[in-house]
Amino acid sequence: MTTTLEPALGTSAEHRRTAAGTFRPRRLLSSVPEALSKLHPRHQLRNPVMFVVWTGSALTTVLAAFSPSAFTIAVAAWLWFTVLFANLAEAVAEGRGRAQAESLRRTRTEAVARKLVDGGERKVPGTALAIGDEVVVEAGETIPGDGDVVEGIATVDESAITGESAPVIRESGGDRSAVTAGTTVLSDRIVVRITAAPGETFVDRMIALVEGAQRQKTPNEIALTILLSTLTIIFLLAVVALQPMAAYSGSLIEVTTLTALLVCLIPTTIGALLSAIGIAGMDRLVQRNVLAKSGRAVEAAGDVDTLLLDKTGTITFGNRRCTELVPVDGVGPDELAEVARLSSLADPTPEGSSVVAFCAQEFGLPEPAVGAEVGARKVPFTAQTRMSGIDLDGRSIRKGAISALRDHVGELPDQVVRCADEIAASGATPLVIAENDRVMGVIRLSDVVKPGMRERFAELRAMGIRTVMITGDNELTARAIAAEAGVDDYLAEAKPEDKMALIKREQAGGRMVAMTGDGTNDAPALAQADVGVAMNTGTSAAKEAGNMVDLDSDPTKLIEIVEIGKQLLITRGALTTFSIANDLAKYFAILPALFVGIHPQLGALNVMGLSTPNSAVLSAVVFNALIIVALIPLALRGVRYRPSTAAVLLRRNLLVYGLGGVVTPFAGIWLIDLVIRFVPGIG
């Protein structure tokens, strides 16, 4: 089976991201049927906190049936609403992923593969392909299965997967050989060796992951569940002990009231939202075209201490660009710019194009060839000559490496040699320009650091994350680029085994490591790293080794992934703080109401001035249910993340969510009581 998306789905990844990431209240209504289906006790058993609430709801329902009263019926109804709203939070989170998965599933079509058999071709269904089979795909045909290009080169439309309309190049023998089922070949002919069985393709796994079918609880989630279960048991024992105490004082407390007290005191809020927070964290990655193979990887991203970043394409643009023209004595800047431009008209490389663009921007010279330049004899750049130029009106203009120009014009002036040495020492590349036998000056080609990288690294440093630049460049170049970019450390002349050794050293020091890669030689390091982000353009080995795949193949996205992971952890911590803090207010609402008839002096604790014990209890139960609905958007969007230290984050959590968790219930319960006190049989 393969997937071909409708045009509306593949127009823009940014559009899909915005649509998926926006919370709309109508999603609550559309998710109600799914929430109702989750009321089954088998589902509730997965969440100990909510299972206690479910049990309390069933118990109060039985009591309301045998001894009906307005108070008992109201408590039973709102306890069921509490369970329903908890299910609703999970259903809304799952619904966003399920909608994306359904879009993929609806557009699946059966593909016919041209399988190579005994030197010939045989047409077979795409579902009949096995790992190791080789298939031919030509222009206009859909790739029938995941695999690697083993012969040929072609442009491929991957908009069905990435949402980007620009075609990409896929070729054999390199790190850009992997192709995905459902993408379309736009030109040429390639032979693809299948690397995934039917039903286990990249798109199949993407469908299963985004709809949450393969989601498992992460270690942090399991640890928090154990903590919440422990608190629930403690509060259960405390509530059970209240009845003997009341009996000793000459009175008994209604079971309905004790049940309401238990539900309000246990950490219901975070228990209800915990699953939704985890699902939403993975969904935020999907919105950014990153496929996480597990929730564990998302959490690990939030705990990362060291980021390993490739220089080329991540920290720098990757293509060296002209950044300066240095004339020799007796040559004016405008004169040098003219010959530099002419020498680059026949140089189609990114470096040559950057010289023409630099002369146009800085000196106002035309970018395309004009007039007599069109018919002039052009000397294109080749790897053998390492030189390009033009012969025009008796002028022979050449540009190239120092050794190439020395062979062309003879010995170079000392000024030019010194200038070239200084440029090389700074991490840039010098090119010498000459007209006939006269050396005119030197071009500085720099691997330009992307704008804003120094600021991004400063933010990461504020988060306590150490950045390490990995490059195959020599020590001088690596040091210069590292200093300009503002990274904390660098590894020059890096080989695959050097990356692996660095990761192991960092992990031995107790640090969590994240890195990106796309080649087969990156696979061991990607597997070793705590967060290994493989580029979708990379080899199948790299994508299998990593625990995340970036569909956009943007190495800088690793920084965003870390921020999303931290946002997930911060959101979970913030809502846990809020949940535990608001139990304090509910304590002041219910406990005085329970014993005020026995010990009137406890009325002093009724700081909210609640009208009656029944009104106080029901107000707390209603608030307990409604606050879950109010927090669903926050659980799905996540708490806004600002790069800062752990101490600052803790202080902000305590002030905003700790203090807010104490104050909000006081106001909410008081307002609800103003309404409930007028209900007959309760107020």
Side-chain angles (χ1 to χ4, degrees), residues 210-242:
V210 299
E211 70 180 358
Q214 296 181 5
R215 199 187 91 86
Q216 296 178 340
K217 287 188 176 181
T218 62
N220 283 352
E221 201 171 341
I222 292 172
L224 185 54
T225 300
I226 294 172
L227 172 62
L228 299 180
S229 301
T230 303
L231 291 174
T232 300
I233 293 171
I234 292 172
F235 283 121
L236 176 62
L237 295 175
V239 169
V240 169
L242 288 177

Side-chain angles (χ1 to χ4, degrees), residues 84-290:
L84 179 64
F85 294 159
N87 294 342
L88 192 62
E90 185 175 355
V92 171
E94 290 177 349
R96 298 203 300 182
R98 192 175 293 111
Q100 297 176 42
E102 194 57 35
S103 296
L104 292 171
R105 192 177 284 111
R106 279 199 310 267
T107 52
R108 277 175 154 184
T109 57
E110 183 75 20
V112 176
R114 296 163 56 189
K115 180 180 175 182
L116 292 177
V117 181
D118 299 328
E121 294 182 13
R122 180 190 302 166
K123 290 188 177 182
V124 299
T127 52
L129 293 174
I131 295 175
D133 287 347
E134 293 186 355
V135 296
V136 175
V137 191
E138 294 185 343
E141 296 179 347
T142 298
I143 295 173
D146 288 2
D148 288 325
V149 178
V150 294
E151 181 184 318
I153 180 172
T155 55
V156 179
D157 177 9
E158 293 190 337
S159 60
I161 305 299
T162 66
E164 300 298 337
S165 58
V168 296
I169 301 294
R170 292 292 177 265
E171 59 184 329
S172 62
D175 290 342
R176 295 178 178 268
S177 61
V179 290
T180 307
T183 56
T184 304
V185 173
L186 299 179
S187 69
D188 302 292
R189 173 187 183 274
I190 53 175
V191 176
V192 177
R193 180 177 293 133
I194 301 299
T195 58
E200 298 176 5
T201 66
F202 185 79
V203 172
D204 290 318
R205 284 182 292 164
M206 188 162 89
I207 290 172
L209 286 165
V210 299
E211 70 180 358
Q214 296 181 5
R215 199 187 91 86
Q216 296 178 340
K217 287 188 176 181
T218 62
N220 283 352
E221 201 171 341
I222 292 172
L224 185 54
T225 300
I226 294 172
L227 172 62
L228 299 180
S229 301
T230 303
L231 291 174
T232 300
I233 293 171
I234 292 172
F235 283 121
L236 176 62
L237 295 175
V239 169
V240 169
L242 288 177
Q243 190 69 288
M245 293 172 59
Y248 179 79
S249 301
S251 179
L252 290 176
I253 304 172
E254 291 185 26
V255 175
T256 301
T257 304
L258 287 174
T259 304
L261 173 64
L262 174 62
V263 171
C264 290
L265 291 186
I266 63 177
T268 313
T269 306
I270 185 60
L273 298 173
L274 186 58
S275 179
I277 294 170
I279 296 170
M282 293 187 70
D283 184 60
R284 279 192 289 275
L285 279 179
V286 173
Q287 292 164 26
R288 287 162 176 80
N289 267 3
V290 177

